[in-house]
């Protein structure tokens, strides 16, 4: 088996060194276009047509694959992209559980990867494996800290918790349970459910049994509606807090009146219309909207913005990387990694990014905005 794998990498090296491999810069994109994560992956697939076709005078070729929200499929896709397609960079996946095993492919192939998922574990703690990994979605520890400070200042003392049973939900629970005691908050429950579940009634009833002042839900996309819907339908009147994973119109459309009043910390993209016209965050959002609407005839959501931001970081890294080596070579991929790490004060839809050797997410509290679902819209809490 080891000899077979070694043979694959030898073949991959031969492909990458072939003369034709220098013609284009190849970007491998893996997203959850189907399965439980499709609410995230579908907008990202539609974003591909809006991405730049040329950077630094070089043609950009995008190879996009659906991981079906499955970690095994995501890993297979990543291996295919680096071995068969000879990509210079990997982007993906939409989900944390799918992204994590893809990091192994990235480090083996010495190919940078920019994840579209949220968990802090993708980029921390920094080690040899994560040296090739970057992330455009703000870390859950940053977002959790911002919303928990707001919760504590609101006079809330007890907090029920319901989260998805994967890396995203558990990453948030880790931060919530760590930070809550420092802010005078007591977490009364730790209930979980799967993204593919069709009901969260049991979890809601267990939370209600502890009579919390408020409830924190850690989920993403439309599955985040289930716990809040179950709580409201059973008469819960307390405040409900969500995460930046709910920042899509689909969440509001599916949840309707049940998700009114939900508060979370999210990215500038979601409340850009509440910012001044000359605000850099709003200008970045407007650029994405213009390009996306041109090819799709509809507005993008925050998950589309994740892919757009990943390519924005990549686009900024390309010119200097081209001064080091030609596309399709190990030297070019290494140079891309180095340039991504040097990004400073880059305004993205997801926040203000300044990478470093120790920080491959690059955001601080300036990237965490308090947002509330109000009259069927996401509004900035002022």
């Amino acid at each position: 088996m080891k000899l077979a794998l070694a043979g694959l990498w030898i073949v991959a090296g031969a492909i990458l060194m072939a003369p034709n491999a220098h013609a284009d810069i190849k970007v491998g994109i893996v997203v959850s276009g189907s399965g439980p994560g499709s609410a995230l992956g579908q907008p990202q697939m539609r974003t591909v047509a809006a991405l730049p076709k040329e950077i630094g005078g070089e043609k950009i070729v995008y190879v996009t694959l659906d991981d079906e929200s499955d970690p095994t499929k995501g890993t297979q896709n990543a291996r295919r992209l680096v071995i068969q397609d000879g990509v210079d960079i990997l982007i993906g996946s939409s989900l944390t559980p799918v992204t994590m095993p893809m990091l192994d492919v990235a480090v083996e192939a010495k190919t940078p990867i920019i994840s579209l998922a949220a968990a802090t574990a993708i980029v921390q703690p920094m080690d040899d494996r994560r040296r090739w990994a970057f992330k455009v979605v703000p870390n859950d520890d940053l977002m959790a800290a911002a919303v928990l400070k707001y919760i504590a200042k609101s006079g809330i003392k007890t907090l029920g918790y319901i989260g998805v049973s994967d890396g995203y939900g558990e990453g948030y629970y880790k931060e919530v349970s760590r930070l809550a005691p420092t802010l005078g908050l007591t977490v009364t429950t730790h209930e979980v459910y799967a993204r593919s579940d069709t009901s969260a009634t049991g979890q809601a009833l267990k939370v209600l049994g502890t009579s919390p002042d408020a409830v924190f839900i850690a989920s993403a996309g439309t599955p985040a509606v289930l716990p809040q819907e179950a709580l409201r339908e059973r008469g819960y009147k307390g405040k409900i807090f969500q995460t930046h994973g709910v920042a899509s119109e689909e969440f509001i459309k599916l949840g309707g009146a049940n998700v009114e009043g939900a508060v979370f910390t999210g990215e500038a993209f979601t409340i850009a219309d509440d910012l001044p016209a000359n605000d850099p965050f709003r200008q970045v959002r407007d650029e994405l909207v213009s390009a996306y609407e041109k090819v799709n005839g509809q507005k993008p959501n925050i998950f589309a913005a994740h892919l757009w931001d990943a390519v924005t970081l990549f686009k900024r890294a390309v010119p200097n990387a081209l001064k080091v080596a030609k596309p399709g070579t190990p030297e070019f991929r290494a140079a891309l990694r180095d340039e991504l790490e040097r990004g400073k004060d880059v305004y993205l839809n997801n926040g203000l990014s300044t990478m470093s050797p120790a920080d491959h997410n690059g955001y601080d509290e300036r990237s965490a905005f308090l947002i509330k679902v109000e009259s069927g819209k996401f509004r900035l809490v002022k």
Side-chain angles (χ1 to χ4, degrees):
M1 185 64 179
K2 289 183 178 178
L3 288 173
L5 287 173
L8 279 175
W9 289 116
I10 291 171
V11 171
I15 292 172
L16 294 176
M17 293 304 293
N20 289 337
H22 300 299
D24 305 322
I25 299 175
K26 294 185 178 180
V27 179
I29 300 173
V30 179
V31 295
S32 303
S34 58
S38 61
L40 289 68
Q42 279 294 320
Q44 290 162 353
M45 295 189 86
R46 289 192 290 270
T47 304
V48 176
L51 298 175
K53 306 301 187 291
E54 183 180 296
I55 300 173
E58 298 288 342
K59 180 182 176 182
I60 308 299
V61 175
Y62 300 99
V63 184
T64 307
L65 300 175
D66 176 14
D67 59 43
E68 301 171 14
S69 303
D70 178 68
T72 300
K73 184 69 173 180
T75 305
Q76 292 172 345
N77 286 347
R79 290 198 183 281
R80 176 213 143 153
L81 289 168
V82 299
I83 295 174
Q84 179 178 321
D85 297 289
V87 299
D88 295 295
I89 190 169
L90 289 166
I91 296 179
S93 170
S94 315
L95 303 175
T96 296
V98 183
T99 294
M100 294 306 291
M102 288 174 61
L103 302 188
D104 294 323
V105 179
V107 71
E108 289 168 10
K110 297 296 186 288
T111 300
I113 180 171
I114 304 177
S115 176
L116 308 176
T120 304
I122 295 168
V123 291
Q124 290 181 7
M126 182 55 64
D127 53 20
D128 290 341
R129 181 176 181 235
R130 294 174 175 85
R131 183 172 178 270
W132 291 86
F134 299 82
K135 184 163 78 73
V136 293
V137 182
N139 282 339
D140 39 28
D141 56 352
L142 171 67
M143 292 302 195
V147 73
L148 284 175
K149 287 177 183 176
Y150 176 79
I151 291 171
K153 289 180 180 178
S154 301
I156 291 167
K157 297 298 181 183
T158 57
L159 192 64
Y161 178 93
I162 305 176
V164 282
S165 55
D166 58 30
Y168 184 77
E170 290 308 294
Y172 253 101
Y173 180 73
K174 177 182 177 182
E175 296 304 323
V176 170
S177 60
R178 178 179 68 86
L179 294 169
T182 69
L183 296 168
L185 297 169
T186 299
V187 180
T188 65
T189 57
H190 179 198
E191 297 301 319
V192 299
Y193 71 106
R195 290 178 191 256
S196 57
D197 286 351
T198 56
S199 172
T201 300
Q203 293 85 345
L205 289 173
K206 289 181 180 179
V207 168
L208 292 174
T210 66
S211 302
D213 296 333
V215 178
F216 189 94
I217 298 172
S219 186
T222 52
V225 171
L226 285 177
Q228 183 153 349
E229 183 177 66
L231 288 165
R232 293 305 190 209
E233 288 178 348
R234 277 144 193 84
Y236 184 69
K237 303 296 184 182
K239 293 182 178 180
I240 297 178
F241 297 89
Q242 293 265 4
T243 73
H244 54 305
V246 306
S248 70
E249 293 301 321
E250 288 76 11
F251 172 76
I252 290 179
K253 289 178 182 177
L254 181 62
N258 286 319
V259 299
E260 274 288 312
V263 174
F264 61 98
T265 43
E267 299 87 341
F269 172 89
T270 305
I271 44 78
D273 285 333
D274 288 344
L275 300 175
N278 62 349
D279 189 288
F281 283 124
R282 182 164 179 170
Q283 293 173 351
V284 167
R285 192 286 307 265
D286 290 347
E287 181 183 0
L288 163 60
V289 170
S290 177
Y292 189 94
E293 283 188 323
K294 186 176 181 180
V295 297
N296 292 297
Q298 61 185 31
K299 292 184 181 298
N301 64 16
I302 186 60
F303 304 118
H306 296 343
L307 179 56
W308 181 268
D309 283 357
V311 174
T312 297
L313 292 175
F314 164 70
K315 182 170 64 174
R316 291 175 65 89
V318 165
N320 283 335
L322 286 171
K323 296 175 183 177
V324 175
K326 293 183 179 180
T329 65
E331 293 80 9
F332 181 69
R333 297 194 297 275
L336 277 177
R337 194 218 71 86
D338 293 346
E339 288 302 319
L340 286 169
E341 199 171 75
R342 297 185 183 115
K344 182 176 176 60
D345 291 335
V346 184
Y347 279 92
L348 302 171
N349 290 284
N350 284 275
L352 182 59
S353 174
T354 295
M355 302 285 189
S356 72
D359 185 357
H360 283 191
N361 189 225
Y363 301 120
D364 58 26
E365 62 277 0
R366 293 173 295 176
S367 301
F369 294 81
L370 276 167
I371 301 169
K372 184 177 183 179
V373 178
E374 188 176 293
S375 301
K377 294 182 179 180
F378 295 117
R379 303 305 304 267
L380 177 66
V381 176
K382 299 177 180 178

